[in-house]
Amino acid sequence: MLGLYLRPERTGMNYNDVHAVEGQLAELKQEVLKYKDHPALLLWGIGNELDLKYTNTRVWDAVEELAKFIHDVDPNHPTSTVLAGIDPAKVHMVKTRCPDIDVLGVNAYGSIEKLPLNIRRFGWSKPYIVTEWGVNGPFEAPTTSWGAKKEPPGGVKASTRLRRYDDIIAADSSMCLGSYCFLWGQKQESTATWHGLFLSDGSATDGVDAMHKAWSGEWPTWRAPSIRNIRMNDRGWKIDHIVEPDSEVQVDVDLNAFEGEVQWQCTLFPESRSKKMGGDRQKSLEEIPTDFTFVNPGSVVFKTPKNPGAYRVFVKACRDGNNCSSANVPFLVRK
Amino acid sequence: MMRREILIFGICVFCYLGCDSMQEVSLYEVDLTPTPEQLVSSYPYRHVYLDSCNSNLFGHRSHPCKRVEFVKDNSVEGEDHLSIAWQQGDSCRYLGVGFPWANYVGKNLKNLEQIAALQFHVRLDSGSVSKIPMFFSLVDYGGRQATSKINLLNVEGQRLDEEWRTVRIPLATFRASEKGLNLENVKELRIEFQREGHVHLDAIQIVPFHHEGKFLEPIGEDVCENLPLVMNARNLWWGLNGSETMGWAEGEGFLALHYDKTGPQRDWNSCGVALNQWEALDMSEVYSASALTFQLHGQFSPLNFSILSSTGAPRQIRQRLSLDHCIQFEEGIWSCAIPIKQFDQHEQFNWSATREVRLTVTEDIDAAMHELQWSEYRGNPNKVHRWLEHHKQ
């Protein structure tokens, strides 16, 4: 899919501003002419999440103008536009205002559970693609009392991915043309490990193994370790952890090690304060140098920072240095 | 004597012509108001960048992410032009150059905002693109800034390639007042570069320019002033699946509900209707004295009603239908009203962007919903039966 970047309203674009809209369309029409015969082109993606926090439905007129232009100049590739989840209003808008859209793209995280049903209930009758999917996003996650998002351990996320692919995406072959799992790479979104199937050092996670199983039906021969659970001071990752400054805490993980020796690594970071949304770029955080002592494989002890504040400790279990699983626990240091 | 008569005759002819045939011309009615072109062309600080000898520039020191050079060959004006190559990376999030033109004088561009543009010449080092990731900001002495960018419609030939192209960015597109920029005291122009690129820039100046700046009327600002709103337009409903669980009875004008919570269609249990073609509808003036009203023919069931807005939080407010909302005036015919004030969090809801009424079935039902409408309700929200009896037709 070749994405044609239409500026979302939330970045300051005003779809009532005729000059700005026409200028943007003029640019994108040149892109279409430039790439329409490229052998790698499968379909056009006109705008990504234009509906996120939008109020001006004229954006759909811009999408339609470009889709119609594409149909006029390029009869070989279908058009799509990508929604940030669906609701009846968005489907109605694309259906009625964008008749030249051939395929609906839907980015769905938690809402993927009911996506096939909702596609039909909301009245979409053409094909669709799940253009982003994975585990529930930070924006859907439960939070601590100080607002930190609770991220499931890597093994839990890998299982979720496999179930969602098998039971939802592959199961809806009558309307769903396919999917793009998110994210085949690494990015900072609340944490450095939330969506990425790879870690920042490039190592593959147990999520990659899950996708291997989803796509091929077989597990890879050499599987990454997989963290099923993480606890701080013997209390699980789903509850709030509030600790004293400069106090000793222990973090334990439950691991499916599979075969081979596992290497452990721990890191400490301040909690992200980013309020960005919709996958907009967030800054990576600076690691806080900390002494970690592994008392057992999967059990680590460290001293909490002296300064009160919100932090997050990460544990990484790797085999051969490049097949890993990670998990983290947010905690609050308070006197 | 003869000569005197001729002179008098001549004076008379002159006066006659002077009074009746010649136009009056006042020496003091010449319009001295400058045209927009004159105003811009006479602006003393119109030259932003000419060349390295005659212009102020900062941010031109090269580093691994950015290389700025003054190139003498193939310049548009002056002794040289700017060649700027950049590649954004983690070590250099911001890449830019600045032009505190006219030696840091505070420039007043207020009178030029609607009649002038920032003009420059640009060419790529190689290739062609439809847009360059360059952003132009005017910065005032208070540190506030407003940003605009190249619009392909204002690029000569609507192409960006290896030829010099004249580009104009209308000053109006910086939207100074919206961004809080003081156009009467502008300090500098900054150009920010994102991602990667290599351009040549020259002859940056302020020139006369007519910017049409057409804006369409906003949509989605309709106001509901009168009730009832009748919700019987079939094409504005979603979630109807014919006769299986919920469907609109053609020609009959009612919503048929056949729901079996253990049946194969048990997940298909919601439907909804748009209030204003799926655009926002401002119900602020009417919501507090209103109710959802309808008749239920057949079996009573505790239906869940939601009202949704397109913005704000909560996005959805809910109320569950109970027998407190309905009176059975005839066998199997229930008249119902759910006052809006009974919906949870109705005071926090954004009534200016109301969009949809939604219905969810959770219990078995075999009934028909008639005359669903958003009605005026001037009664005690906790005494619905009294209101229904009073309004019994």
Side-chain angles (χ1 to χ4, degrees):
Chain A
M1 178 186 283
L2 196 157
L4 296 167
Y5 180 75
L6 277 169
R7 269 188 77 194
E9 184 183 321
R10 67 179 191 278
T11 66
M13 181 68 185
N14 181 352
Y15 279 90
N16 293 332
D17 182 340
V18 175
H19 179 73
V21 172
E22 287 181 352
Q24 183 176 228
L25 291 174
E27 285 173 6
L28 293 171
K29 286 175 182 176
Q30 286 207 3
E31 298 283 303
V32 171
L33 294 172
K34 187 173 179 180
Y35 293 112
K36 70 184 178 68
D37 299 317
H38 196 286
L41 178 63
L42 181 62
L43 81 160
W44 298 98
I46 306 171
N48 182 38
E49 300 194 342
L50 293 166
D51 54 303
L52 187 63
K53 304 275 179 188
Y54 87 129
T55 57
N56 189 348
T57 56
R58 282 212 172 91
V59 68
W60 303 120
D61 300 337
V63 170
E64 169 59 12
E65 182 171 339
L66 209 50
K68 189 167 187 326
F69 176 79
I70 290 169
H71 279 168
D72 289 344
V73 300
D74 177 14
N76 299 318
H77 301 102
T79 58
S80 72
T81 187
V82 175
L83 302 179
I86 58 168
D87 67 23
K90 295 177 195 176
V91 171
H92 174 87
M93 288 295 167
V94 178
K95 250 178 92 170
T96 57
R97 304 272 283 271
C98 309
D100 280 276
I101 289 294
D102 303 312
V103 181
L104 188 65
V106 185
N107 295 345
Y109 293 90
S111 65
I112 196 173
E113 299 289 348
K114 286 195 169 181
L115 184 59
L117 173 68
N118 283 339
I119 280 278
R120 290 161 175 82
R121 287 202 300 196
F122 299 162
W124 185 253
S125 52
K126 296 178 185 176
Y128 75 95
I129 294 175
V130 191
T131 34
E132 279 182 24
W133 72 277
V135 296
N136 286 18
F139 53 92
E140 299 164 311
T143 56
T144 62
S145 57
W146 59 95
K149 315 279 187 183
K150 295 175 183 175
E151 178 181 353
V156 174
K157 291 195 293 183
S159 302
T160 301
R161 285 180 186 276
L162 183 55
R163 179 184 60 78
R164 286 181 172 175
Y165 186 85
D166 286 345
D167 296 352
I168 300 169
I169 295 168
D172 192 20
S173 58
S174 66
M175 283 186 80
C176 181
L177 294 182
S179 65
Y180 293 89
C181 79
F182 192 84
L183 168 77
W184 198 257
Q186 185 272 338
K187 71 175 293 202
Q188 173 73 27
E189 192 168 329
S190 285
T191 72
T193 54
W194 201 293
H195 280 303
L197 286 162
F198 295 82
L199 301 180
S200 56
D201 61 5
S203 50
T205 66
D206 40 351
V208 171
D209 293 351
M211 291 317 303
H212 187 286
K213 172 78 166 70
W215 288 328
S216 70
E218 305 287 338
W219 288 104
T221 311
W222 300 100
R223 290 181 62 178
S226 196
I227 298 177
R228 300 190 319 270
N229 194 10
I230 184 167
R231 300 181 302 280
M232 177 177 274
N233 291 340
D234 219 21
R235 299 165 73 222
W237 60 274
K238 290 181 180 172
I239 61 161
D240 290 5
H241 296 275
I242 299 172
V243 293
E244 294 279 323
D246 203 25
S247 63
E248 192 172 274
V249 295
Q250 179 166 330
V251 172
D252 299 287
V253 301
D254 299 333
L255 184 77
N256 282 340
F258 304 110
E259 292 174 33
E261 189 183 340
V262 173
Q263 298 93 42
W264 295 91
Q265 190 185 342
C266 262
T267 44
L268 181 68
F269 287 89
E271 184 58 41
S272 169
R273 292 178 181 174
S274 177
K275 299 270 189 271
K276 290 192 174 172
M277 58 183 167
D280 294 341
R281 189 184 176 90
Q282 298 178 13
K283 271 187 178 173
S284 297
L285 301 169
E286 289 285 325
E287 184 183 342
I288 300 168
T290 308
D291 289 329
F292 292 98
T293 307
F294 278 89
V295 292
N296 283 307
S299 295
V300 65
V301 172
F302 69 100
K303 278 203 164 183
T304 59
K306 291 175 180 164
N307 294 328
Y311 300 89
R312 193 178 287 258
V313 61
F314 288 76
V315 179
K316 186 168 76 167
C318 297
R319 210 193 55 240
D320 302 332
N322 56 8
N323 289 294
C324 303
S325 183
S326 80
N328 63 72
V329 186
F331 62 96
L332 185 70
V333 173
R334 193 165 68 190
K335 284 182 183 172
Chain B
M1 188 64 189
M2 188 65 176
R3 189 178 292 170
R4 190 178 165 195
E5 284 171 359
I6 290 170
L7 183 63
I8 290 169
F9 177 74
I11 289 170
C12 290
V13 169
F14 180 80
C15 291
Y16 172 75
L17 290 174
C19 294
D20 292 334
S21 303
M22 298 180 75
Q23 291 180 350
E24 285 183 6
V25 176
S26 167
L27 290 174
Y28 303 101
E29 285 187 3
V30 176
D31 184 3
L32 296 175
T33 309
T35 63
E37 286 74 16
Q38 288 169 332
L39 202 61
V40 179
S41 301
S42 62
Y43 182 63
Y45 308 127
R46 62 187 179 281
H47 294 291
V48 178
Y49 180 84
L50 180 63
D51 58 31
S52 58
C53 298
N54 296 294
S55 309
N56 301 107
L57 172 69
F58 63 81
H60 57 282
R61 189 178 299 167
S62 294
H63 60 71
C65 299
K66 181 181 68 179
R67 193 178 70 248
V68 181
E69 292 172 328
F70 301 100
V71 180
K72 288 189 183 299
D73 294 342
N74 190 15
S75 296
V76 177
E77 277 182 28
E79 293 295 311
D80 53 35
H81 70 269
L82 285 166
S83 163
I84 305 170
W86 71 94
Q87 182 161 30
Q88 210 169 21
D90 285 338
S91 61
C92 41
R93 300 296 320 147
Y94 180 86
L95 296 171
V97 292
F99 303 88
W101 81 98
N103 210 17
Y104 287 92
V105 161
K107 278 77 67 178
N108 185 351
L109 300 176
K110 186 73 185 166
N111 293 333
L112 309 185
E113 186 178 14
Q114 301 301 327
I115 58 172
L118 186 72
Q119 176 183 288
F120 52 91
H121 292 77
V122 67
R123 65 178 172 87
L124 302 183
D125 199 60
S126 61
S128 67
V129 293
S130 60
K131 58 185 169 189
I132 307 171
M134 296 166 64
F135 299 89
F136 298 76
S137 300
L138 292 171
V139 185
D140 67 18
Y141 266 95
R144 287 158 298 199
Q145 66 180 54
T147 303
S148 188
K149 66 187 189 76
I150 298 172
N151 184 314
L152 203 60
L153 299 180
N154 294 329
V155 176
E156 179 189 3
Q158 294 195 12
R159 287 178 63 83
L160 292 160
D161 53 19
E162 293 167 36
E163 299 291 317
W164 280 115
R165 303 278 175 185
T166 308
V167 178
R168 296 186 183 94
I169 301 178
L171 295 185
T173 64
F174 285 85
R175 296 189 289 174
S177 59
E178 211 175 292
K179 308 280 176 62
L181 174 79
N182 180 5
L183 264 183
E184 294 176 352
N185 194 19
V186 172
K187 179 182 167 193
E188 66 204 19
L189 168 73
R190 288 183 198 166
I191 306 177
E192 183 189 346
F193 305 97
Q194 294 183 359
R195 300 195 286 280
E196 60 182 313
H198 187 173
V199 296
H200 296 258
L201 278 178
D202 202 3
I204 307 174
Q205 57 186 308
I206 293 164
V207 299
F209 187 79
H210 174 68
H211 174 57
E212 201 156 315
K214 186 180 167 194
F215 281 77
L216 301 173
E217 286 293 313
I219 52 176
E221 295 186 356
D222 297 324
V223 178
C224 177
E225 291 169 339
N226 297 303
L227 294 174
L229 285 176
V230 180
M231 292 173 258
N232 63 358
R234 189 184 185 285
N235 62 334
L236 295 180
W237 280 83
W238 64 269
L240 307 182
N241 61 350
S243 58
E244 290 185 58
T245 53
M246 37 189 56
W248 194 262
E250 284 291 358
E252 304 292 332
F254 64 83
L255 188 65
L257 303 168
H258 310 286
Y259 182 69
D260 173 2
K261 65 182 179 185
T262 59
Q265 293 284 332
R266 60 184 173 279
D267 289 334
W268 197 298
N269 65 340
S270 285
C271 60
V273 61
L275 297 171
N276 185 32
Q277 307 282 333
W278 295 104
E279 297 284 358
L281 181 65
D282 189 345
M283 303 283 288
S284 306
E285 294 298 313
V286 296
Y287 85 90
S288 61
S290 66
L292 297 180
T293 61
F294 55 92
Q295 282 194 354
L296 206 56
H297 293 200
Q299 177 190 4
F300 177 86
S301 180
L303 308 168
N304 292 324
F305 284 84
S306 309
I307 300 170
L308 291 93
S309 71
S310 49
T311 59
R315 195 62 61 87
Q316 183 172 183
I317 56 175
R318 297 176 177 86
Q319 180 57 275
R320 188 172 170 87
L321 183 73
S322 73
L323 288 172
D324 291 341
H325 299 118
C326 300
I327 290 181
Q328 190 173 199
F329 287 118
E330 295 174 44
E331 180 65 29
I333 300 179
W334 305 79
S335 283
C336 304
I338 309 177
I340 300 303
K341 281 186 171 177
Q342 281 199 7
F343 280 74
D344 293 340
Q345 294 185 284
H346 68 271
E347 286 169 328
Q348 288 80 47
F349 189 74
N350 181 11
W351 291 102
S352 67
T354 318
R355 197 177 67 191
E356 178 190 343
V357 171
R358 191 173 291 185
L359 174 64
T360 304
V361 188
T362 55
E363 302 296 331
D364 291 355
I365 186 170
D366 190 1
M369 183 178 286
H370 291 251
E371 297 171 32
L372 174 61
Q373 54 189 38
W374 197 313
S375 306
E376 188 173 290
Y377 180 96
R378 294 196 180 276
N380 186 333
N382 297 317
K383 294 181 178 173
V384 177
H385 282 193
R386 184 186 295 178
W387 186 87
L388 286 168
E389 282 165 0
H390 184 72
H391 287 79
K392 183 183 174 188
Q393 296 297 317

